[in-house]
Amino acid sequence: MSSHQKSTVYKVVLLGDGAVGKTSIRQQYLGKGFKEGYSMTIGADFCVKRVELSNIIITFQIWDLAGQQRFDVVREVYYRGSSGALLIFDVSNPGSFENLPAWLNELTKNNYDRIVPIVLIGNKTDLRGTAPCLPKEAGQQYAAALSQWTGFDVPYLETSAKSGLNVEEAFGLLSKQIELFLDKYQLRG
Ligand code: G3D
Ligand code: MG
């Protein structure tokens, strides 16, 4: 890491219904492994991870928001100024997939009506084969619809916070989308 290297801070919010695996994904990304036992996130948790990606030092501020409705007021504050979002559903829970538009609405509503770069995440893919799961095409189709709606590419990635599959990739991909977005709208400081 040299002193003249570019560095930047990205505020990333994790969005999705309760129990889709937001906290587990964050924990896995922080290298804390997978913890069995559900502990509900109260309001919001915040953590920081510093990585070097495509020659830029990125400090991710990862906001892990509680999915439960009663924390609505807390959530509004945390959406503001977000650089990007991981929009997460559980492939074994169709309801969590159907609720995705409501999460997006909440993000934009609380972020000055601004849409930010998104990576769509289908989590718990380790359950494929043992439980009925939404097909990969469902996620791909919704991501394609989101790309049309937002005007920029919304990738779809399947993860498992349990095995760690694609968790690093999700944050890497999101930072790439943020970079492209900043360049496209010439927002880079
Ligand atoms: P949330 O932060 O979105 O509310 P959590 O979700 O990270 O707290 O996870 C909710 C439950 O799903 C937990 O199960 C957790 O272990 C499980 N989970 C999270 N990610 C995965 C995954 O990729 N695969 C599998 N199989 N389970 C996952 P419990 O049973 O402890 O409630
Ligand atoms: Mg949580």
Side-chain angles (χ1 to χ4, degrees):
M1 215 180 268
S2 56
S3 57
H4 60 267
Q5 216 165 357
K6 276 209 293 191
S7 67
T8 186
V9 178
Y10 293 152
K11 176 180 177 177
V12 170
V13 290
L14 306 188
L15 305 181
D17 279 5
V20 296
K22 298 180 297 297
T23 302
S24 303
I25 287 173
R26 179 175 65 105
Q27 293 290 91
Q28 184 63 257
Y29 186 57
L30 292 175
K32 292 186 180 157
F34 183 78
K35 227 164 70 185
E36 300 278 357
Y38 179 68
S39 76
M40 191 174 70
T41 308
I42 307 295
D45 282 336
F46 168 99
C47 67
V48 167
K49 177 156 168 148
R50 221 160 163 248
V51 291
E52 190 180 333
L53 290 172
S54 36
N55 228 17
I56 300 172
I57 298 163
I58 297 172
T59 304
F60 283 114
Q61 285 184 359
I62 306 168
W63 294 74
D64 177 9
L65 306 168
Q68 290 71 20
Q69 287 307 312
R70 65 178 171 280
F71 298 125
D72 268 357
V73 175
V74 179
R75 282 207 301 262
E76 288 175 15
V77 174
Y78 291 106
Y79 287 115
R80 253 164 239 163
S82 43
S83 323
L86 293 183
L87 181 62
I88 306 167
F89 68 99
D90 168 356
V91 293
S92 72
N93 179 351
S96 71
F97 182 70
E98 281 150 28
N99 283 337
L100 292 173
W103 284 105
L104 269 186
N105 181 44
E106 190 154 290
L107 167 65
T108 46
K109 183 177 83 187
N110 294 298
N111 193 41
Y112 314 103
D113 281 327
R114 262 182 236 144
I115 191 72
V116 295
I118 297 160
V119 174
L120 180 65
I121 302 288
N123 187 43
K124 305 200 189 181
T125 49
D126 56 281
L127 294 177
R128 284 245 164 83
T130 58
C133 286
L134 290 162
K136 193 170 182 179
E137 290 71 33
Q140 287 169 332
Q141 276 170 20
Y142 185 54
L146 286 179
S147 301
Q148 279 225 319
W149 178 62
T150 59
F152 47 84
D153 184 37
V154 176
Y156 174 59
L157 205 58
E158 299 213 308
T159 61
S160 167
K162 187 169 188 173
S163 74
L165 175 80
N166 280 341
V167 169
E168 280 218 18
E169 286 79 357
F171 287 90
L173 201 51
L174 183 60
S175 78
K176 214 170 100 190
Q177 298 310 118
I178 296 171
E179 301 280 316
L180 290 171
F181 180 86
L182 295 176
D183 285 341
K184 180 170 177 178
Y185 296 103
Q186 302 184 324
L187 296 171
R188 208 187 283 279

